[in-house]
Every structure is written in structure tokens, then in C-alpha cells.
Amino acid sequence: VLLAYLGDWEGAEVRMAQLRPRLAVPGQHNQLGAWFAAISTLEAAAVLGLRETCAELYPQALQLHEDGAYIVWDRGLSERQAAIAAAAGSRWDVAEGHFAGAETRARDGGNRLELAELTRWRAQMLLWRDEGEDRVQARELLAQAARAYRELHMVRHVRFTEELTVEALGPVSR
């Protein structure tokens, strides 16, 4: 995930390939490292735009959430991860349901970082869907996320959000 966020796409893809045999298997009990590898791969794939890889990991994210692991170590809420994977797989209604659930949990817990992350990833979902007013809504969400990241002094995430905003201003990708 770190390599993906740093823009080292080649390094991130190599590391994801190395982790592939170690990922948690859905429907089974897995070791902690296998779960962490699955969720980290899910998010890294989403950052890299590898939507199919990300979507394939939806069952793992869903199982973690349904089994009561609401927070996935340093990756945030398991339901946000499920939302990202559902969105990557073009399961818009399922993703929205997960985003809404995660937002409620984040608000109830006063988790400002998670709320910023949810806002940014919701915007990403809209950019992936790219229908109707999605780009307009995505720009609004990205502006909210950038403000939240600035308040949290997360300069790199502000920059990342600005890059997504440029994408939202670009030509429609149909």
C-alpha cells in the first residue's frame, strides 16, 4: 500500500504479486498476516487502478466485517475496504451500502481520518462509475476530503486528492 501511495507502481505490483500466495482465503480461518495481506493488496490495487484485482478481494473484506473485525489494523474500517472492492467491481448499490455503514461507524466514533478517507473513496467510486453528474459530485467530495486532510496535516493525501480532482475535470471515459 505504501508503495502504491508513494507512486512506485512497479514496486507495488511486484510486492502484490509476491503476496498473492499468502492472501486470506474467503470462508476459512486465516492467520492475521493473511488477512492483512489481503486488505493491503485490495487497497493497493484500488490506488493503482487495478479494479479487477481489487474486486476479487471483496469476499475477504466482507468476511472480516461480518466476523466483527471492524477495524483492519492501520487500513481503517473493514466496511470501507468492502465498499472499495464492491465499487471496483461496479457493484454500486452494494458499495454505497458499505460506505453508508462505514460512515455511521466513523461518525459515531468521531474518527475524522476515516471520514476523510470515506469521502475520498466515495469520490473515486463516482469517477469509476462516471454516469450523469458523477464527476460533479466527485469534485465536491474531493474538495471536502482535501479540506479534511489539510486539517489533519496529511499533505500527501491532499496532493493525492488534487490529482483525483484533475481526473474528475478530464474528458468523460466511456
Side-chain angles (χ1 to χ4, degrees):
V1 176
L2 181 61
L3 293 172
Y5 277 111
L6 289 173
D8 182 357
W9 291 29
E10 184 177 317
E13 288 189 79
V14 166
R15 186 67 182 129
M16 286 171 38
Q18 291 170 339
L19 287 175
R20 175 114 7 236
R22 297 185 176 115
L23 300 182
V25 177
Q28 294 183 9
H29 293 286
N30 296 277
Q31 293 183 347
L32 180 63
W35 287 114
F36 189 73
I39 296 304
S40 296
T41 299
L42 181 158
E43 189 169 342
V47 170
L48 297 172
L50 303 172
R51 290 177 57 188
E52 187 175 319
T53 300
C54 179
E56 289 170 358
L57 294 165
Y58 175 75
Q60 287 90 327
L62 182 63
Q63 182 176 339
L64 270 177
H65 176 68
E66 289 180 344
D67 286 351
Y70 299 123
I71 298 176
V72 185
W73 311 279
D74 67 342
R75 301 285 21 109
L77 294 175
S78 59
E79 196 160 19
R80 172 170 48 93
Q81 299 297 335
I84 294 167
S90 301
R91 299 174 66 193
W92 313 123
D93 292 339
V94 172
E96 264 307 327
H98 287 306
F99 277 125
E103 184 176 341
T104 298
R105 188 172 297 281
R107 281 196 195 291
D108 290 350
N111 190 333
R112 293 174 33 209
L113 172 57
E114 189 64 34
L115 289 168
E117 291 283 87
L118 285 162
T119 302
R120 176 174 59 92
W121 281 109
R122 252 195 179 125
Q124 179 64 76
M125 178 191 74
L126 293 172
L127 292 174
W128 283 339
R129 185 171 65 187
D130 199 11
E131 296 176 355
E133 296 294 312
D134 283 351
R135 285 178 181 248
V136 172
Q137 292 174 356
R139 285 192 301 269
E140 292 169 6
L141 289 172
L142 290 166
Q144 289 174 26
R147 281 193 299 276
Y149 289 135
R150 279 187 194 93
E151 289 174 9
L152 295 167
H153 306 287
M154 296 179 69
V155 178
R156 188 174 301 277
H157 276 63
V158 171
R159 209 170 323 130
F160 191 67
T161 304
E162 289 169 348
E163 290 169 8
L164 282 175
T165 302
V166 169
E167 181 182 330
L169 294 171
V172 176
S173 59
R174 296 235 185 239

